[in-house]
Amino acid sequence: MLRKFNIKRIFQGRLFKDYEILSEITKFLKENSISSGLISGIGAVTKAKIGYYDQKTRQYITQEFDEPMEILSLKGNISLKDGEPFPHVHVILSRGDFSCIGGHLFEAYVFAFEFEVIETDGTPCERGFDEDTGLFLWKS
Ligand code: ZN
């Protein structure tokens, strides 16, 4: 499956300290009716919850990291899930000893955060349950 889109609008912004990144991005997408596009960001968090999808058990293993970390890279896409704009976001975080952790983003609290949302036009991709993986992947 491959789709071609054109860029419609580009947003750049920041979130203030203590805001939760994923819920604020979701709110922003819904308020601006953005259901197709790309997300990126950098900054720092005070704590985060990230996940690793266990392909055998088909469950996310999640872990919370309650410590200050840099967001080296936050990257994701925007599509529709259950008819609503849905951001799928992954993140690489660096710790005080410069080691990195990363995974599927569940929750992250802002120390500082600068982001871009690139909205694309056309019919958005739509997520549906995928039997092969147990994930909600793009169906169309
Ligand atoms: Zn993911």
Side-chain angles (χ1 to χ4, degrees):
M1 178 198 150
L2 181 66
R3 303 274 292 277
K4 180 177 173 287
F5 296 98
N6 293 312
I7 292 171
K8 190 174 170 187
R9 293 185 290 183
I10 300 175
F11 298 85
Q12 232 177 1
R14 67 170 280 213
L15 292 177
F16 295 105
K17 193 172 178 303
D18 298 331
Y19 278 83
E20 197 286 303
I21 291 175
L22 201 58
S23 59
E24 288 301 317
I25 288 174
T26 304
K27 196 169 98 183
F28 169 80
L29 298 178
K30 288 181 179 175
E31 283 172 0
N32 290 280
S33 303
I34 300 170
S35 50
S36 182
L38 308 165
I39 300 166
S40 62
I42 54 173
V45 297
T46 53
K47 60 179 177 175
K49 180 181 174 183
I50 56 177
Y52 170 83
Y53 188 70
D54 186 318
Q55 297 176 11
K56 283 194 178 135
T57 63
R58 295 183 166 211
Q59 300 280 328
Y60 274 100
I61 299 163
T62 62
Q63 194 166 331
E64 291 185 37
F65 296 88
D66 192 357
E67 63 189 74
M69 293 172 284
E70 295 282 324
I71 302 172
L72 301 188
S73 178
L74 177 148
K75 173 174 174 46
N77 57 53
I78 304 156
S79 56
L80 285 173
K81 186 179 176 195
D82 301 323
E84 298 281 337
F86 178 81
H88 179 198
V89 179
H90 286 192
V91 70
I92 301 169
L93 303 167
S94 75
R95 309 171 97 167
D97 65 359
F98 296 99
S99 65
C100 290
I101 56 169
H104 178 102
L105 182 66
F106 281 93
E107 224 174 65
Y109 290 88
V110 173
F111 180 75
F113 184 58
E114 299 167 346
F115 68 95
E116 293 83 33
V117 170
I118 299 173
E119 183 187 15
T120 54
D121 67 4
T123 308
C125 293
E126 190 132 17
R127 291 184 181 278
F129 185 74
D130 179 71
E131 293 287 345
D132 292 339
T133 62
L135 292 165
F136 285 83
L137 301 178
W138 290 335
K139 293 289 191 183
S140 60

